[in-house]
Amino acid sequence: MATIFTTGEPQTITAMLAARDQRVAYQQQLTATNPRATIAAIKLNIPGPIKNNVALRRLFLAGVQRFEAELSTYTVAADWNHPAGNERFLILTTDFATSKRLAVAFEEHDPLGRLYDIDILQAGSQRALSRTDLGLPKRRCLLCHREAKDCARSRRHSVAELQQKIAAMYMKEFGERG
């Protein structure tokens, strides 16, 4: 197994569901208190029970910094570094559709972008703006470039294969093992 996944606190389904509930509640709070803003919720797509450690935090921050460099103005509303994973919430001044296009461009073109899930939310909306809402292509699998949801549902690739790919991306980014 890839070395960047040998440390960290293994997460259970219950812990992941609790983290999701916390994220949703916080997103609702942000959209309610910032009714004219667009909200970006950024997290990593990490397979397996280890969702956070020093290496994964480093990976997260490297990509987030590059995504933030693409934005005209923003405010960091929160930065969570917990065992269930890293998350950052930004309040953006860029409109809803432009923000989603920037997020998709980052996810598709940045060397680390495929590891990120950047949800774009707007006050009054019950869900994030999707790629297909804007006529953009669906997210592709990290390994085979098929539709990511199809690979995830069918478990086409093992956790070890996905982790190996992420570890290789880490090594390419930082020139070292995690």
Side-chain angles (χ1 to χ4, degrees):
M1 187 176 296
T3 60
I4 68 170
F5 295 99
T6 57
T7 63
E9 183 180 327
Q11 297 299 290
T12 64
I13 295 294
T14 304
M16 294 306 298
L17 292 174
R20 183 189 64 191
D21 291 346
Q22 180 185 17
R23 177 175 48 258
V24 169
Y26 188 68
Q27 289 170 345
Q28 290 171 342
Q29 176 190 339
L30 277 178
T31 58
T33 56
N34 299 279
R36 291 192 170 94
T38 300
I39 307 298
I42 308 166
K43 60 185 176 45
L44 286 173
N45 290 316
I46 300 296
I50 302 296
K51 303 295 184 186
N52 196 8
N53 58 34
V54 172
L56 292 173
R57 177 70 177 170
R58 185 177 186 197
L59 195 63
F60 176 75
L61 292 174
V64 166
Q65 182 179 34
R66 292 200 297 250
F67 175 66
E68 289 174 350
E70 298 296 318
L71 303 172
S72 55
T73 58
Y74 64 91
T75 302
V76 176
D79 184 53
W80 296 349
N81 178 12
H82 49 73
N86 292 282
E87 299 185 55
R88 183 170 287 183
F89 300 89
L90 305 176
I91 301 170
L92 309 175
T93 56
T94 312
D95 71 86
F96 200 36
T98 301
S99 296
K100 184 60 180 183
R101 284 186 180 92
L102 285 169
V104 171
F106 171 78
E107 291 171 352
E108 294 297 320
H109 302 295
D110 188 89
L112 298 176
R114 299 288 291 280
L115 301 178
Y116 290 80
D117 183 14
I118 305 173
D119 289 335
I120 302 296
L121 308 137
Q122 189 173 40
S125 176
Q126 294 300 313
R127 66 178 183 85
L129 187 62
S130 75
R131 290 166 173 242
T132 55
D133 289 339
L134 295 176
L136 299 170
K138 293 181 180 182
R139 180 183 297 275
R140 296 287 163 201
C141 174
L142 186 62
L143 297 178
C144 72
H145 306 292
R146 291 184 176 116
E147 191 176 320
K149 284 186 180 181
D150 288 345
C151 287
R153 262 181 274 193
S154 68
R155 298 185 186 267
R156 183 170 283 124
H157 312 290
S158 71
V159 168
E161 288 174 302
L162 291 162
Q163 288 178 340
Q164 184 176 26
K165 174 66 174 177
I166 294 167
M169 292 169 77
Y170 179 91
M171 288 175 54
K172 186 173 182 180
E173 179 71 18
F174 301 110
E176 61 185 64
R177 290 189 166 283

